[in-house]
Amino acid sequence: MSKQFTQRKSSDRHAGNDTAAAGLEVRESAVGWPDYELLDAGDGKKLERWGEVVTIRPEIQAHFKPGWSWSDWQAGADWEFEELSSTQGTWKRLQPQASEHWQISYQQLRFGLKLTKFKHVGLFPEQQANWRFIAEQVKPGDKVLNLFAYTGAASLVARANGAEVVHVDSVKQMLDWANDNQTRSGLSDIKWVLEDALKFARRELKRGNRYDGIIMDPPAWGLGAKGEKWKLENQLADLIETARGLMNPGAFLILNTYSPKVELADLANAAGPYFAKNQIEIKQLWMQSKTGKALFYGNLLRAMA
């Protein structure tokens, strides 16, 4: 018998810091842990603590007033990311002894973090909501495919719970970073694949390979290996169709979307041909700061075969 979800209404549209529709619970909240806190957010920025390092980063969804003053932010932060363009920028050192490379833990896992010119530091903490879900679903011996897998947090959670994991990313530096995190965490035997995620998934489908869990965290937009343009809204249906073909009976699918052009209804419409309504869960992903500010992190599809 396939696992099933309680169906959520999927026509709600996110509207900044407001609930999508009164009376409908479509939110799921990630929560911090001892080595990570969303301290505050507002005025287009967020203040975060990663272990002993505190950063200020741009955040388009923080279109409200912060809980603390700007002077308090700067006094407590080690680094502030200053945008030079929509895709790149530089880090401004606010404390003389601020570390540029450091490590944090999540449960038994260890992650190496560092400053990058893309404002990221090597971990998406809002994905803690999905790490919880993966830990609940995965059984020893399950086969899990992680596409667009970045530095490997979801792969490590699945591996730590006994799964055989195939980790796919098109950027070698990300694979190396993820492999280092595997070593830091005392794990081994994740299969690393340097390839375009969707192309690899299509080939797996042709090879007849199947999985007990599929995780997809695709970018909203970008360029492929040959310069081809990638827009998530154009690839959404293809991603879901391909993933569905790779799923064993009872398998789970996680699909994160950060694109402002992918609404809850779009996820429902794209998943509808491949899953029954009671096999689909569609939510908004949020996290609340220490000061009580709720920050939106995109829409989320989970499905069970």
Side-chain angles (χ1 to χ4, degrees):
M1 182 179 294
S2 65
K3 301 174 186 176
Q4 298 178 336
F5 286 121
T6 301
Q7 172 67 3
R8 300 289 199 271
K9 198 168 203 178
S10 58
S11 59
D12 309 319
R13 299 170 65 88
H14 74 260
N17 208 33
D18 298 326
T19 303
L24 292 174
E25 183 52 62
V26 296
R27 294 189 182 191
E28 177 160 344
S29 293
V31 295
W33 61 93
D35 264 5
Y36 176 81
E37 280 185 291
L38 177 61
L39 298 171
D40 197 11
D43 291 339
K45 300 177 186 293
K46 57 186 174 184
L47 181 71
E48 300 165 281
R49 179 183 64 80
W50 315 79
E52 297 181 355
V53 177
V54 177
T55 62
I56 300 172
R57 297 192 291 165
E59 177 49 67
I60 192 171
Q61 294 293 338
H63 46 71
F64 42 81
K65 292 298 180 183
W68 296 334
S69 69
W70 179 242
S71 60
D72 287 339
W73 278 39
Q74 290 196 306
D78 296 285
W79 295 96
E80 180 185 358
F81 187 83
E82 298 180 330
E83 290 181 298
L84 299 177
S85 70
S86 60
T87 58
Q88 295 188 25
T90 60
W91 288 91
K92 178 181 178 182
R93 188 190 296 268
L94 301 179
Q95 304 296 335
Q97 303 303 318
S99 299
E100 297 183 41
H101 299 79
W102 69 103
Q103 294 185 25
I104 68 170
S105 297
Y106 174 75
Q107 298 180 357
Q108 75 272 41
L109 305 176
R110 295 284 294 172
F111 301 103
L113 305 184
K114 62 184 178 182
L115 309 177
T116 74
K117 63 182 179 180
F118 307 110
K119 82 179 179 183
H120 301 302
V121 298
L123 199 65
F124 292 110
E126 69 275 9
Q127 290 305 311
Q128 186 270 348
N130 285 323
W131 304 340
R132 293 190 316 243
F133 179 83
I134 293 166
E136 291 168 357
Q137 296 295 324
V138 167
K139 306 182 301 296
D142 280 356
K143 293 181 62 179
V144 172
L145 175 62
N146 189 7
L147 302 169
F148 312 96
Y150 193 49
T151 59
S155 296
L156 296 187
V157 172
R159 185 73 189 110
N161 282 274
E164 299 175 14
V165 179
V166 178
H167 173 114
V168 185
D169 202 280
S170 62
V171 180
K172 186 178 186 301
Q173 294 93 321
M174 294 299 105
L175 289 185
D176 292 342
W177 199 337
N179 193 14
D180 289 342
N181 285 335
Q182 176 182 237
T183 301
R184 292 182 183 101
S185 299
L187 299 172
S188 61
D189 298 327
I190 292 175
K191 180 180 179 181
W192 309 107
V193 178
L194 178 62
E195 196 168 344
D196 176 88
L198 185 52
K199 290 179 180 177
F200 177 81
R202 286 171 178 160
R203 276 198 286 275
E204 285 289 88
L205 195 59
K206 290 181 179 178
R207 288 188 281 252
N209 289 331
R210 299 294 181 267
Y211 293 87
D212 303 298
I214 297 178
I215 304 161
M216 296 194 289
D217 194 7
W221 58 272
L223 296 176
K226 297 182 180 179
E228 62 274 24
K229 291 184 178 180
W230 163 278
K231 291 185 178 180
L232 178 56
E233 61 269 24
N234 296 336
Q235 304 290 337
L236 191 61
D238 198 3
L239 283 171
I240 294 173
E241 180 182 13
T242 303
R244 182 65 182 90
L246 290 170
M247 297 171 72
N248 281 325
F252 68 85
L253 167 66
I254 299 171
L255 173 59
N256 297 293
T257 67
Y258 296 100
S259 172
K261 295 187 177 181
V262 178
E263 301 286 354
L264 296 174
D266 298 323
L267 288 173
N269 292 335
Y274 309 105
F275 299 94
K277 287 185 178 181
N278 62 357
Q279 293 176 304
I280 301 171
E281 183 178 58
I282 298 173
K283 292 185 174 182
Q284 300 172 337
L285 187 56
W286 293 74
M287 183 179 281
Q288 186 165 306
S289 74
K290 186 176 180 180
T291 59
K293 302 295 180 177
L295 198 54
F296 174 70
Y297 280 97
N299 293 323
L300 168 67
L301 165 70
R302 295 195 189 116
M304 307 296 287

